[in-house]
């Protein structure tokens, strides 16, 4: 029986943690990178605790602390970035592409040397499984190399002269200026670097604010940043976002905002800039990706993909499937198979082999998910899996909720956690209308064995979302595919309409 006591027993005693996976000694970071210098920090600090609890003591694990910067500290970082950029005349923006690539190679080499420390901190700070933490690191290193190769190709094409209508010209890509980079806590390394690395390598100078959770994992990389890049090219910003970010944007001197977070926050931040039309915004925002499971779908395939799509890393992914829309004629079979497979998922500590469900890093998240479930139950839905919504401190056991309908929180809100809403449909127009009327437009998945039925859905859906997945879950990669969004899921590329993709299950 899965209940609060069962979950409590999953937390380890201190002596039960394998020696090779024990938490690192507390890291009390007292360094900030400003103008190429790792300056000693003497001010206030923010404590970092792990989502992993100790069963024998009931205590939280203190992982360390990091600087809590102020407006004046943000001013210092901004001044360094502006000086390094020097209105496009600084050493970094005028450096040759080959020289910038050499700097990036130097950084990558030093970053890879820190892999063990970074991976362990990802695991302990946000509760991500060891396997997934390693994958995130490796994928990030591969992304950096792919970015370097893309820049080489771009530089080669830019070196050519173009002759058109008697006019000779050369088209060049140039940096934009000072970039404020803020990443998310769920993929603190990979998603942060997905915007930070391109910004750097193109010759911009960067103000880097780590995510609210997953800060200490960047501590091992500070030396690499300081050693690999000229002074002032990358500068770290710490402190409360509500304090330091308005200061930076309000100065009017930040040229680009890169943010992976909520549309509400993005809208607020953009308005802080005194010259809003000068501010470029590269955003990755909310998503409520749906899976549409047609009557002729391969149930086994659909369940496998939807289970992984909804619950990988506890459903804490922007690309997670957050609404399953299943044809009424097969919904009971689907639910039976889905809940059976869910019951096989291993729940436990991040370092355990084959673990799927781990503690949630975000404070108050389990309580919020409980509120969403309670709201659905009060409006006529039910929990259809054994133990669903059982909760103990940072553990929340996945809950499959059926039937979900308009008016429930789970119908429109992005739950960003291990709650799986399931909605039946009779007419395909009902499923389409859910996607059309949604405020979000990142991705959708279609499950069907009928090519004609799939074709009928693809055309209207690619005009609503930026990626249609056929017989497979929504996902971020491969990184060569566009990753963006429409509507309030506005993506990382400024021009949405160029970025629709249709992805087939390769099997």
């Amino acid at each position: 029986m899965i209940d609060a006591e069962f979950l409590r027993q999953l937390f380890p005693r201190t002596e039960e943690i394998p020696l090779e996976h024990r938490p690192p000694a507390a890291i009390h970071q007292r360094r900030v990178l400003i103008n190429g210098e790792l300056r000693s920090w003497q001010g206030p600090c923010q404590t970092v605790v792990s989502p992993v609890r100790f069963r024998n003591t009931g205590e939280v694990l203190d992982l360390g602390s990091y600087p809590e910067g102020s407006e004046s500290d943000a001013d210092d970082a901004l001044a360094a970035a502006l000086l390094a950029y020097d209105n496009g005349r600084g050493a970094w923006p005028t450096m040759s592409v080959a020289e910038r690539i050499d700097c990036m190679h130097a950084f990558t080499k030093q970053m890879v040397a820190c892999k063990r420390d970074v991976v362990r901190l990802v695991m302990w700070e946000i509760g991500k499984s060891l396997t997934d933490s390693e994958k995130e690191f490796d994928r990030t290193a591969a992304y950096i190399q792919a970015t370097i190769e893309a820049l080489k190709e771009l530089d080669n094409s830019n070196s050519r002269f173009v002759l058109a209508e008697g006019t000779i010209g050369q088209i060049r890509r140039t940096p934009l200026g000072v970039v404020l980079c803020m990443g998310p806590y769920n993929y603190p390394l990979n998603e942060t670097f997905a915007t930070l690395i391109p910004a750097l390598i193109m010759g911009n100078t960067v103000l880097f604010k780590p995510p609210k959770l997953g800060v200490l994992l960047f501590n091992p990389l500070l030396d690499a940043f300081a050693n690999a890049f000229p002074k002032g090219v990358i500068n770290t910003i710490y402190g409360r976002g509500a304090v330091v970010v308005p200061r930076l944007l309000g100065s009017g001197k930040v040229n680009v905002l890169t943010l992976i977070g909520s549309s509400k926050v993005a809208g607020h931040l953009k308005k802080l800039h005194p010259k809003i039309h000068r501010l470029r915004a590269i955003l990755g925002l909310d998503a409520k990706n749906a899976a549409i499971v047609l009557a002729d779908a391969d149930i086994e395939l659909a369940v496998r993909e939807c289970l992984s799509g909804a619950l990988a890393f506890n459903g804490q992914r922007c690309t997670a499937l957050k609404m399953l829309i299943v044809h009424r004629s097969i919904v009971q079979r689907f639910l039976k198979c889905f809940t059976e497979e869910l019951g096989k998922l291993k729940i436990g500590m991040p370092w355990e082999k084959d673990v799927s469900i781990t503690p949630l890093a975000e404070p108050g998240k389990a309580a919020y998910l409980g509120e969403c479930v309670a709201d659905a139950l009060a409006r006529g839905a039910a929990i259809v899996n054994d133990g669903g919504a059982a909760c103990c401190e940072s553990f929340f056991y996945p809950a499959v909720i059926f039937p979900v309908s308009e008016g429930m929180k789970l119908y429109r809100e992005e739950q960003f956690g291990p709650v799986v809403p399931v909605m039946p449909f009779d007419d395909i127009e009902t499923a389409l209308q859910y996607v059309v009327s949604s405020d979000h437009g990142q991705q959708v998945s279609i499950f069907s064995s009928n090519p004609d039925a799939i074709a009928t859905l693809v055309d209207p859906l690619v005009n609503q979302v930026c990626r249609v997945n056929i017989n497979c879950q929504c996902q971020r990669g491969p990184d060569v595919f566009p990753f963006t969004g429409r509507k309030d899921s506005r993506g990382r590329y400024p021009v949405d309409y160029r970025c629709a993709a249709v992805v087939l299950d390769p099997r």
Side-chain angles (χ1 to χ4, degrees), residues 35 40 107 160 188 209 256 291 319 331 337 375 389 391 396 398 422 485:
N35 202 32
S40 176
F107 170 76
R160 304 185 188 103
K209 186 179 185 307
V256 184
T319 55
V331 70
C337 187
D375 172 77
C391 176
F396 188 94
V422 182

Side-chain angles (χ1 to χ4, degrees), residues 429-441:
E429 185 59 33
T430 302
L432 283 173
Q433 193 56 40
Y434 177 85
V435 178
V436 170
S437 59
S438 174
D439 288 335
H440 307 100

Side-chain angles (χ1 to χ4, degrees), residues 226-354:
N227 295 335
F229 299 104
K231 64 179 186 179
V233 169
I234 182 163
N235 307 275
T236 54
I237 304 287
Y238 298 96
R240 295 178 180 272
V243 174
V244 297
V245 176
R247 179 74 165 200
L248 293 168
L249 292 175
S251 71
K253 297 175 182 178
V254 172
N255 303 100
V256 184
L257 167 66
T258 75
L259 170 71
I260 303 173
S262 75
S263 55
K264 182 178 179 181
V265 170
H268 170 68
L269 294 182
K270 288 171 70 175
K271 293 175 183 176
L272 297 175
H273 200 285
K275 297 182 179 180
I276 190 170
H277 299 298
R278 291 192 184 184
L279 179 69
R280 299 283 189 96
I282 300 174
L283 310 171
L285 306 177
D286 327 87
K288 181 80 170 175
N289 296 333
I292 301 174
V293 185
L294 302 185
D296 57 18
D298 179 331
I299 296 289
E300 184 178 336
L301 169 65
V303 164
R304 183 173 67 246
E305 291 293 312
C306 288
L307 187 68
S308 176
L311 294 177
F313 188 39
N314 302 315
Q316 298 170 123
R317 301 178 300 128
C318 64
T319 55
L321 289 172
K322 302 186 179 82
M323 172 65 82
L324 307 185
I325 307 174
V326 185
H327 195 274
R328 195 178 300 275
S329 66
I330 63 167
V331 70
Q332 293 302 328
R333 287 172 53 209
F334 180 90
L335 286 171
K336 182 177 184 296
C337 187
F338 190 94
T339 54
E340 286 176 354
E341 293 303 310
L342 191 160
K344 298 175 185 178
L345 296 181
K346 182 176 181 179
I347 179 170
M349 294 297 105
W351 56 84
E352 295 176 8
K353 185 179 180 181
D354 299 326

Side-chain angles (χ1 to χ4, degrees), residues 14 17 22-30 45-54 57-66 121 124-125 216:
T14 51
I17 302 173
R22 288 185 180 175
I27 298 172
H28 295 289
Q29 182 183 323
R30 297 296 181 267
C45 293
Q46 178 67 46
T47 300
V48 178
V49 298
S50 174
V52 175
R53 306 290 189 261
F54 290 132
T57 64
E59 296 178 353
V60 298
L61 172 62
D62 187 342
L63 293 174
S65 58
Y66 62 87
L121 283 165
W124 280 100
E125 280 195 84
L216 292 179

Side-chain angles (χ1 to χ4, degrees), residues 96-171:
S96 71
V97 167
E99 290 174 311
R100 290 205 299 269
I101 287 175
D102 286 343
C103 291
M104 193 61 70
H105 278 308
F107 170 76
T108 306
K109 183 178 180 180
Q110 294 173 68
M111 170 185 159
V112 170
C114 299
K115 176 179 177 178
R116 184 177 181 275
D117 292 337
V118 174
V119 165
R120 188 159 61 159
L121 283 165
V122 172
M123 182 180 74
W124 280 100
E125 280 195 84
I126 65 171
K128 182 171 287 190
S129 73
L130 175 61
T131 298
D132 285 346
S133 298
E134 290 174 334
K135 286 180 181 177
E136 179 173 350
F137 187 97
D138 292 342
R139 183 177 182 178
T140 304
Y143 177 85
I144 295 174
Q145 185 57 43
T147 302
I148 290 172
E149 295 305 317
L151 179 57
K152 288 179 181 178
E153 184 177 337
L154 179 64
D155 188 50
N156 287 336
S157 63
N158 287 348
S159 65
R160 304 185 188 103
F161 285 91
V162 177
L163 174 62
E165 299 180 11
T167 300
I168 299 175
Q170 185 184 46
I171 301 171

